[in-house]
């Protein structure tokens, strides 16, 4: 008899309806959904936020995009609290909390919580 690997090697690859990594366009799915929902309820009107009228822009005050390259604009302020050297008591209380949490659940069980 032939082995299972030989049978798998002879099997034809399945033809996919669309190329891998490609999703159908939203319009095609919307059309399919629209056909099913045509006889249903009428959709509500757009919310107030979308009905706002465009404000006329003054061409004298055009905004140019900021340039953060060398010699350009000052970089925006970032939150660096993670990289601070924390006081020893803060580090100790954080380490203690983690240690107590780990003692409550043994590592043999906790390994399945990372999935």
């Amino acid at each position: 008899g032939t082995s299972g690997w030989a049978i798998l090697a002879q099997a034809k690859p399945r033809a996919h309806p669309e190329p891998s990594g490609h999703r159908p366009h939203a319009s095609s799915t919307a059309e399919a959904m629209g056909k099913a929902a045509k006889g249903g309820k009428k959709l509500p009107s757009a919310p107030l936020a979308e009905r706002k009228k465009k404000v006329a822009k003054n061409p004298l005050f055009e905004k140019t995009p900021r340039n953060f390259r060398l010699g350009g604009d000052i970089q925006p302020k970032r939150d660096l609290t993670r990289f601070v050297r924390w006081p020893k008591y803060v580090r100790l209380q954080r380490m203690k909390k983690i240690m107590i949490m780990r003692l409550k659940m043994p590592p043999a069980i906790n390994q399945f919580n990372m999935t």
Side-chain angles (χ1 to χ4, degrees):
T2 56
S3 69
W5 292 108
I7 294 171
L8 284 175
Q10 293 170 356
K12 291 181 183 177
R14 283 186 277 160
H16 294 288
E18 71 257 345
S20 63
H22 174 74
R23 295 187 329 180
H25 289 291
S27 60
S28 63
T29 54
E31 289 169 4
M33 290 172 75
K35 288 176 185 172
K38 259 199 173 154
K41 296 178 187 174
K42 188 179 177 186
L43 292 171
S45 59
L48 294 173
E50 291 181 19
R51 286 192 214 161
K52 284 185 180 176
K53 294 174 184 157
K54 277 194 168 182
V55 180
K57 290 184 180 177
N58 188 345
L60 295 175
F61 300 106
E62 281 189 33
K63 234 182 177 182
T64 55
R66 298 206 307 181
N67 174 23
F68 296 123
R69 297 176 74 170
L70 283 176
D73 292 312
I74 297 170
Q75 293 264 335
K77 292 280 184 232
R78 290 189 174 87
D79 183 21
L80 301 175
T81 49
R82 191 187 178 330
F83 308 106
V84 167
R85 179 167 180 160
W86 291 92
K88 192 155 194 175
Y89 79 96
V90 174
R91 285 182 285 164
L92 279 173
Q93 66 193 14
R94 288 179 179 173
M95 284 163 32
K96 181 183 172 187
K97 184 179 180 186
I98 289 170
M99 191 176 70
I100 289 172
M101 278 172 48
R102 287 184 180 168
L103 283 171
K104 281 183 184 173
M105 181 174 286
I109 297 171
N110 192 49
Q111 67 180 337
F112 300 109
N113 291 347
M114 306 302 181
T115 57

